[in-house]
Amino acid sequence: MATLSSDLAGFATDFRLEDVPTEVRVRAKHLILDALGIAIACTQWDFARVTMAGLRELAGPGGDIPVIGYGQSLPLRDAVVMNALLIHGLDYDDTHPAGVLHATTSVLPAMLGLATRLKGGGHDLLAAYILGVEATTRLGAAAKGGFHQVGFHPTGLIGAFGCALAAARLLGLDAERTVQAQGIALSFASGSLEFLSDGAWNKRLHPGWAGTAGITAATLAKHGFVGTRAVYEGRFGLYNSHLGPLAHQCDLALATNGLGTIWETSHVAVKPVPACHFVHACADAASQLHRAWDGAAVRRIVARVPAGVMKTVCEPIQGKRRPTNVYEAQFSIPYAVAIGLRFGRFTLDALDPAAYQDADTLALASLVECEADPAADFPTYYGGEVIVILADGRVLKHSEPINRGAASRPISNADVVAKFHDNAARAVDPVHAGRIVDAVLSLEQRSASDLMHLIGVGARTQRL
């Protein structure tokens, strides 16, 4: 019986890096570089230290897969969880707009770890990475934004399947066992959005759990474990079981349309702002008003956003106006607007407690009201508009209908390199950062182990 899982399995087993256009391969390497820079910066944050301590205790002594920036190694699946947390922990990692998910953050650490274990070349690593990104983004796009509406985090949920397909390729599985790998992953895939209610750290674990699920599923399939076949379209398959009534809105054809000719890797958006992608346009719009505002008294601020993002970054409004932790700050339209208006830019500095506890910033955030924009082209773009009504009657307004980093407004490869150096500088010296850039951009001529050990060199002492 032909199923979506068998179509994807056929694509995975026939996949050759030589068939990927040069510009897609180059962009993929820059996406990898972007992720590694974020991971290096993330080593300086308390949640990274805490997670490493817990995984170290679970793993016991030893381990053969380096942890980025720690100078230590963990067993494969623990290392995947940790390295994914480092890439995703600051919410600065890339996003696929139509899939409404982060593909790199699950696929890259899983394939880095597995390719290192298998003593694979950079050529194999790059192929598996692109394959995983293509599958993950397409499976996410098929849901048309529905997972967020019912409380599932598609990065963790869908990432398990993309990682299973990519791991199956690295392990050399045939098409039938690649189908089985996806079926097994169906029982592992997970990721709840409940963290939005209290700023808990759960979300940071989702991509690594997806990576370990994919590796585990593919390895079990390699040894003959039997998984279900109607993984995606079945009565209790992925979309029906997780979306309920919204499942009828799905378009499963999006998962395979143009497969191998249209490259979704090229449509992955690099983040210019270290926060949920849904707040970027409003953060940028407010930043554009910074000079014109110049500290004048404000009567009211209106932020207009796509209806599909309201639950995530606007509700409950009182909580969004007073973030009490990093996650709440990163998922708050009022806070993003206040930071942009005050400072003209939202950077990693906005994630410091001193920033989101600042009385002047919170005073501005308390004036922000959120409205759904019926004209927004979501999820193609994550647009936003900010309107500032001043006490003297003046109205300042700026709209960003297409967010920076979207396919039609991309962050250039040169910008990615600059972002990498800016992030890496928070934890490693410029010479070492330069070596990483060289290694990633010449990945096909390296081994996966060479890159893994280079990025595993210990960074500066982690801050609390």
Side-chain angles (χ1 to χ4, degrees), residues 65-91:
I65 306 300
V67 174
I68 299 170
Y70 268 82
Q72 300 182 46
S73 294
L74 288 171
L76 174 60
R77 288 183 290 180
D78 294 324
V80 169
V81 171
M82 187 65 204
N83 286 332
L85 176 132
L86 291 171
I87 293 171
H88 190 54
L90 294 173
D91 262 283

Side-chain angles (χ1 to χ4, degrees), residues 165-246:
L165 284 156
R169 187 198 183 279
L170 277 181
L171 291 168
L173 271 58
D174 62 18
E176 174 58 26
R177 295 202 173 188
T178 302
V179 169
Q180 304 297 335
Q182 294 169 83
I184 298 165
L186 179 60
S187 290
F188 296 159
S190 62
S192 165
L193 290 178
E194 183 59 26
F195 72 90
L196 290 170
S197 300
D198 54 14
W201 294 2
N202 300 53
K203 178 175 180 285
R204 295 184 172 113
L205 290 172
H206 293 171
W209 207 252
T212 61
I215 290 172
T216 303
T219 305
L220 289 172
K222 174 184 175 182
H223 288 273
F225 196 100
V226 178
T228 189
R229 303 191 70 84
V231 182
Y232 307 107
E233 60 274 86
R235 182 164 62 107
F236 299 121
L238 174 67
Y239 297 99
N240 286 323
S241 63
H242 287 72
L243 291 175
L246 291 183

Side-chain angles (χ1 to χ4, degrees), residues 278-279 282-283 300-307 309-321 331-338 364-374 383-387 389:
F278 293 167
V279 311
C282 281
R300 181 173 171 239
I301 303 173
V302 177
R304 306 188 77 228
V305 299
V309 312
M310 292 281 287
K311 287 183 181 179
T312 305
V313 293
C314 297
E315 300 171 4
I317 188 61
Q318 292 305 325
K320 297 298 184 183
R321 288 170 174 165
F331 281 77
S332 166
I333 286 285
Y335 180 67
V337 169
L364 274 180
S366 71
L367 302 175
V368 177
E369 303 169 13
C370 297
E371 293 181 357
D373 180 2
E385 181 180 24
V386 174
I387 305 166
I389 299 93

Side-chain angles (χ1 to χ4, degrees), residues 24-41:
V24 177
R25 281 180 271 152
V26 170
R27 186 61 171 180
K29 288 184 285 188
H30 282 83
L31 295 176
I32 291 172
L33 183 67
D34 179 51
L36 296 180
I38 298 162
I40 291 167

Side-chain angles (χ1 to χ4, degrees), residues 256-270:
T256 53
N257 284 349
L259 195 61
T261 57
I262 298 173
W263 296 94
E264 294 301 324
T265 301
S266 297
H267 301 152
V268 171
V270 172

Side-chain angles (χ1 to χ4, degrees), residues 1-204:
M1 180 180 66
T3 60
L4 179 51
S5 63
S6 62
D7 290 342
L8 291 173
F11 176 67
T13 53
D14 293 339
F15 190 89
R16 299 189 325 137
L17 187 61
E18 292 75 16
D19 295 332
V20 180
T22 299
E23 64 272 17
V24 177
R25 281 180 271 152
V26 170
R27 186 61 171 180
K29 288 184 285 188
H30 282 83
L31 295 176
I32 291 172
L33 183 67
D34 179 51
L36 296 180
I38 298 162
I40 291 167
C42 198
T43 61
Q44 304 303 296
W45 294 77
D46 189 44
F47 61 79
R49 178 189 62 79
V50 169
T51 307
M52 184 63 180
L55 291 174
R56 178 81 278 165
E57 179 176 327
L58 286 169
D64 58 342
I65 306 300
V67 174
I68 299 170
Y70 268 82
Q72 300 182 46
S73 294
L74 288 171
L76 174 60
R77 288 183 290 180
D78 294 324
V80 169
V81 171
M82 187 65 204
N83 286 332
L85 176 132
L86 291 171
I87 293 171
H88 190 54
L90 294 173
D91 262 283
Y92 209 1
D93 49 318
D94 62 43
T95 305
H96 185 263
V100 200
L101 48 67
H102 311 270
T104 295
T105 194
S106 58
V107 175
L108 177 59
M111 296 309 104
L112 262 173
L114 184 57
T116 298
R117 164 70 62 81
L118 297 172
K119 296 180 170 50
H123 178 280
D124 298 320
L125 168 59
L126 184 59
Y129 167 74
I130 294 173
L131 167 61
V133 169
E134 291 295 317
T136 302
T137 54
R138 289 167 172 279
L139 289 169
K144 294 188 171 181
F147 289 120
H148 280 92
Q149 302 309 310
V150 294
F152 286 107
H153 184 210
T155 295
L157 189 65
I158 302 297
F161 301 98
C163 289
L165 284 156
R169 187 198 183 279
L170 277 181
L171 291 168
L173 271 58
D174 62 18
E176 174 58 26
R177 295 202 173 188
T178 302
V179 169
Q180 304 297 335
Q182 294 169 83
I184 298 165
L186 179 60
S187 290
F188 296 159
S190 62
S192 165
L193 290 178
E194 183 59 26
F195 72 90
L196 290 170
S197 300
D198 54 14
W201 294 2
N202 300 53
K203 178 175 180 285
R204 295 184 172 113

